[in-house]
Amino acid sequence: MKRILLSLLFLSFFLTSCESEDDGITYTTPDYITGKWNFSKIGFLNSQSNIIYQDYPNSQTCESDNLVLDADGTFEINDFSLQGTNCVNTVQSGDYTLLNKDLTIKYTEASVLVTKVYTFLTLTYDEATVVTTNSLGQLVFYKLTR
């Protein structure tokens, strides 16, 4: 009988001491992806499967091409080009989702829904490297900076 009482006492102590101590605490993950990202490098695989990077072909007199990811799940890609003496911005905008390392963007181009997936290879607050495929099925790597 004494053993049963001690067992019950021990069990009740164990059950009450295992309560969660972090009730009411909300943990947040740093939001590294939202904001304006400038395209700085573009890379392709060479015949030895090494990534060869070169400067992204931004116009020297216009703003750098960039990707803007907003916290509400919308994005904008700004493609600046020099036409005559004017900088012209061609904009693609739509929605994005992030699942694990895959950033999926969706936008409409000529009444057709386009979906592209960019996979994050590296991500810090100031720099990111992503990979996607082009229309020929080739891997294209981008280095982005804030």
Side-chain angles (χ1 to χ4, degrees), residues 37-107:
W37 292 94
N38 296 307
F39 290 93
S40 62
K41 302 272 186 192
I42 187 169
F44 300 94
L45 292 177
N46 66 9
S47 59
Q48 290 82 31
S49 296
N50 295 319
I51 306 170
I52 305 299
Y53 285 101
Q54 58 191 30
D55 287 339
Y56 187 85
N58 286 308
S59 173
Q60 296 298 319
T61 55
C62 298
E63 187 177 339
S64 294
D65 294 353
N66 58 68
L67 167 66
V68 179
L69 298 169
D70 292 322
D72 65 358
T74 59
F75 79 92
E76 188 174 273
I77 296 177
N78 297 291
D79 184 8
F80 293 93
S81 61
L82 188 62
Q83 295 180 5
T85 57
N86 297 323
C87 288
V88 177
N89 183 13
T90 303
V91 179
Q92 291 176 332
S93 61
D95 299 317
Y96 76 87
T97 56
L98 180 66
L99 180 61
N100 298 320
K101 294 181 179 185
D102 292 333
L103 177 72
T104 302
I105 64 171
K106 295 181 180 183
Y107 59 93

